[in-house]
Amino acid sequence: ALQRSLNRRVALKFVRPELAHGPALDRFRTEAMAGGRLNHSNIVAVIDWGEHEGRRWSAEEVVAGGLPLGPVV
């Protein structure tokens, strides 16, 4: 995705609708807030998080290189 305010690419992470409440949502929120405070070369930075049309999301830095996640996840 493109963060228009800074003209940079970001990776978007969405919460599945069936997990967008209760403990799973609390964990997502906690993870996003912690990721926004941390600054370490081995941790992807969380740039922003929120909700759009009922879907929870976080915007994270794009990491170049590496493997596609499909085979890993």
Side-chain angles (χ1 to χ4, degrees), residues 5 9-10 13-14 16 20-21 23-24 27 31-33 35 37 41 45 47 59 64 67 69 72:
S5 61
R9 291 185 52 197
V10 296
K13 179 178 178 181
F14 289 92
R16 293 192 324 229
H21 54 81
R27 180 176 172 195
E31 180 182 310
M33 292 175 72
R37 289 190 300 266
S41 61
I47 298 163
L67 300 172
L69 287 179
V72 179

Side-chain angles (χ1 to χ4, degrees), residues 3-67:
Q3 182 184 13
R4 292 180 183 156
S5 61
L6 296 175
N7 195 33
R8 68 175 167 182
R9 291 185 52 197
V10 296
L12 293 180
K13 179 178 178 181
F14 289 92
V15 177
R16 293 192 324 229
E18 64 270 19
L19 299 176
H21 54 81
L25 180 58
D26 292 340
R27 180 176 172 195
F28 180 79
R29 183 181 300 122
T30 300
E31 180 182 310
M33 292 175 72
R37 289 190 300 266
L38 297 173
N39 183 12
H40 189 278
S41 61
N42 292 334
I43 300 173
V44 174
V46 176
I47 298 163
D48 198 5
W49 67 280
E51 179 181 343
H52 178 72
E53 296 181 1
R55 296 194 64 195
R56 305 286 180 157
W57 57 270
S58 67
E60 303 175 358
E61 72 175 309
V62 173
V63 178
L67 300 172

